[in-house]
Amino acid sequence: MDKYFSSDSLYVVFFIILIIWLGIGSYFFKVDRKLTKLEKSHEEHLKK
Amino acid sequence: MKALIIILGVALGLGLGLFPKFDRPKPKWWKILVFLIMSGSICLSLLPPIAENPLVARYMSTKIPGHVSNILLYVKPGTLHYHHVLQFWNCEFYFPGKEANPEKLIINSRDLPPEFKSDKRLILKLNYDFQNKQFVYLSTAYVSPILVFPFVPGLEQQIRILNFHVPVAWICVLAFLISMIYSIRYLRSKDFEFDLIASSTAGLGLLFCVLATVTGMVWAKANWGSFWNWDPRETSIFILLLIYAAYFSLRSAIENPETKARLSAVYSVLAFITVPFLVFILPRILSGLHPGSENDSTTGPILSAKEGALSIIQQISFSLGFATFTAIFFWMLNIYIRQRKLQQKIEGEF
């Protein structure tokens, strides 16, 4: 364990976690935006 | 103070999460704020280097011979004293808030590293030589670190996973609680919207329960040597996973929507009764590896009232972890509920 941390692998872990979070976060943004569009189009469809 | 900081984090998460409502779209500023807080929380949890003080370094050397310690040192060039081959000097170790203690430090290189010639805070990798009662310099790990986590003997670098593992486990309890509340509301009103919210929160609760188990397994491998040890807390979370997995198998086994909603609501209420027992009581009355177990004299770094068990930076990053994971849970719940509602509306039209 000491070897693992002394080789500064922590930065690798940090960047991997940050990339995973960026992926998940942007996916949430995308899904939320798509869902809002669908909700709006459904409301408009109901009004017609 | 520690409790207050953690409660503030939870309150921030709940405040953000419940704004504006479960099933109303979140405003753009809200999403950007949560995204930024989570990114900040990851940086604050993983980036600050961990440093010991000389007392801990000496203590660790008694436990692990040849143990390399990261020590936070405040270099004052005026206090250097040179010898020609083995350079050494009496320097002051930096104890935040305490009196400095002079210790002898040996540098095995002929040339003094340049970072020692300025008035800076350094983190050095040192070995403590017990026979000669001196620290031997190996390398400089960090120069002028902005933030430093204190070394927690026994946890060391693994302390960082605390900011992910504990908030995720808290979300799991919160989700099951919300599921129970909405199940009761369904039983009282027979409104299918409440059943939808109850089953959605139970689903996300199960997901966070899996995440808590996985992060716990990673931590267990680093600290206890194996991924699974049948510790009471590990066993109880496994039982909790089975209980809530059964909730979904019950739902999938019934076709009539009314019967499905009624039976699963009753099951959710009964399932939640086990949660406080499995999460808070059972792991404390049985002997185990987790802090706070019956055979453990310490309460662990979170509940410990001992000063320095968690530094103020660690307390803030831990609290921020609670805030972000709570907000993210509500964001996920919001998307999930809206998607299911829309699906039901569209299906109802055909």
Side-chain angles (χ1 to χ4, degrees):
Chain A
M1 210 64 195
D2 259 1
K3 266 186 189 174
Y4 172 78
F5 286 114
S6 61
S7 63
D8 285 338
S9 302
L10 194 67
Y11 292 110
V12 179
V13 174
F14 167 70
F15 280 112
I16 289 171
I17 290 179
L18 205 60
I19 287 165
I20 290 171
W21 165 239
L22 288 177
I24 292 172
S26 52
Y27 176 70
F28 285 169
F29 269 105
K30 201 176 152 186
V31 170
D32 204 324
R33 203 173 55 232
K34 272 188 180 175
L35 201 57
T36 310
K37 270 184 192 172
L38 276 172
E39 280 169 341
K40 277 181 185 169
S41 66
H42 184 256
E43 272 174 28
E44 280 169 14
H45 173 75
L46 284 179
K47 278 177 190 171
K48 281 176 188 174
Chain B
M1 185 65 181
K2 193 199 291 179
L4 182 71
I5 291 173
I6 294 169
I7 289 167
L8 276 176
V10 174
L12 176 68
L14 286 174
L16 272 174
L18 294 169
F19 178 83
K21 263 189 169 182
F22 273 161
D23 51 354
R24 296 276 175 278
K26 304 283 186 195
K28 205 170 190 175
W29 64 262
W30 187 98
K31 294 175 217 168
I32 293 169
L33 183 68
V34 170
F35 189 81
L36 290 177
I37 296 177
M38 183 64 181
S39 307
S41 175
I42 290 171
C43 295
L44 199 54
S45 301
L46 296 179
L47 281 185
I50 285 179
E52 304 170 27
N53 64 47
L55 295 174
V56 176
R58 276 189 304 209
Y59 171 75
M60 289 307 291
S61 302
T62 60
K63 299 274 178 192
I64 312 164
H67 174 77
V68 176
S69 309
N70 286 1
I71 295 182
L72 185 64
L73 179 78
Y74 187 46
V75 177
K76 289 187 175 178
T79 60
L80 302 182
H81 301 284
Y82 291 91
H83 277 239
H84 65 281
V85 179
L86 277 181
Q87 296 171 344
F88 76 92
W89 70 91
N90 290 318
C91 61
E92 287 178 57
F93 281 110
Y94 180 71
F95 288 93
K98 287 184 183 172
E99 282 295 310
N101 245 352
E103 284 280 348
K104 196 191 277 181
L105 179 67
I106 303 293
I107 290 193
N108 290 315
S109 60
R110 183 176 289 271
D111 300 317
L112 189 69
E115 61 270 18
F116 283 78
K117 291 171 184 166
S118 55
D119 191 359
K120 281 180 180 168
R121 287 171 84 200
L122 306 173
I123 293 184
L124 307 179
K125 286 185 191 293
L126 303 179
N127 224 332
Y128 189 71
D129 178 358
F130 244 89
Q131 283 182 335
N132 299 315
K133 293 184 178 177
Q134 60 196 14
F135 288 97
V136 179
Y137 171 85
L138 301 174
S139 63
T140 307
Y142 299 93
V143 179
S144 298
I146 302 166
L147 300 170
V148 173
F149 279 173
F151 181 89
V152 181
L155 289 178
E156 296 125 49
Q157 300 275 0
Q158 292 95 289
I159 190 83
R160 296 168 193 276
I161 207 166
L162 179 86
N163 298 355
F164 302 97
H165 175 64
V166 180
V168 159
W170 137 255
I171 293 302
C172 153
V173 175
L174 176 73
F176 294 149
L177 174 69
I178 295 172
S179 175
M180 183 204 65
I181 292 169
Y182 276 88
S183 295
I184 293 171
R185 290 186 75 178
Y186 170 77
L187 289 173
R188 292 177 71 175
S189 67
K190 303 289 178 210
D191 184 346
F192 277 104
E193 193 180 328
F194 294 144
D195 173 61
L196 187 140
I197 296 174
S199 58
S200 304
T201 39
L204 283 179
L206 194 63
L207 172 73
F208 276 87
C209 200
V210 171
L211 285 176
T213 311
V214 171
T215 51
M217 283 166 72
V218 172
W219 199 353
K221 176 69 180 167
N223 259 60
W224 304 328
S226 69
F227 287 109
W228 198 264
N229 304 282
W230 292 110
D231 169 76
R233 199 173 280 279
E234 289 177 338
T235 312
S236 64
I237 206 158
F238 179 64
I239 295 168
L240 203 61
L241 275 172
L242 292 181
I243 288 172
Y244 277 90
Y247 171 82
F248 287 99
S249 71
L250 173 75
R251 282 186 75 86
S252 63
I254 305 165
E255 281 194 11
N256 184 312
E258 207 175 304
T259 319
K260 180 198 280 189
R262 196 174 63 246
L263 280 181
S264 57
V266 172
Y267 185 90
S268 173
V269 174
L270 291 175
F272 188 76
I273 294 169
T274 65
V275 173
F277 179 73
L278 290 172
V279 176
F280 302 110
I281 301 169
L282 190 77
R284 293 190 187 280
I285 57 172
L286 294 174
S287 301
L289 297 164
H290 270 86
S293 303
E294 191 265 334
N295 59 330
D296 184 35
S297 56
T298 66
T299 50
I302 305 166
L303 298 175
S304 171
K306 202 174 144 191
E307 199 186 335
L310 275 186
S311 74
I312 189 79
I313 301 297
Q314 277 175 315
Q315 286 173 33
I316 292 169
S317 63
F318 183 57
S319 172
L320 214 54
F322 270 102
T324 49
F325 276 103
T326 311
I328 284 165
F329 161 71
F330 280 107
W331 191 3
M332 288 168 79
L333 185 63
N334 175 269
I335 291 172
Y336 194 28
I337 290 172
R338 282 165 56 208
Q339 179 259 319
R340 287 184 69 188
K341 271 188 177 178
L342 190 64
Q343 191 181 358
Q344 280 186 358
K345 277 181 194 169
I346 293 167
E347 280 172 359
E349 285 172 20
F350 294 101

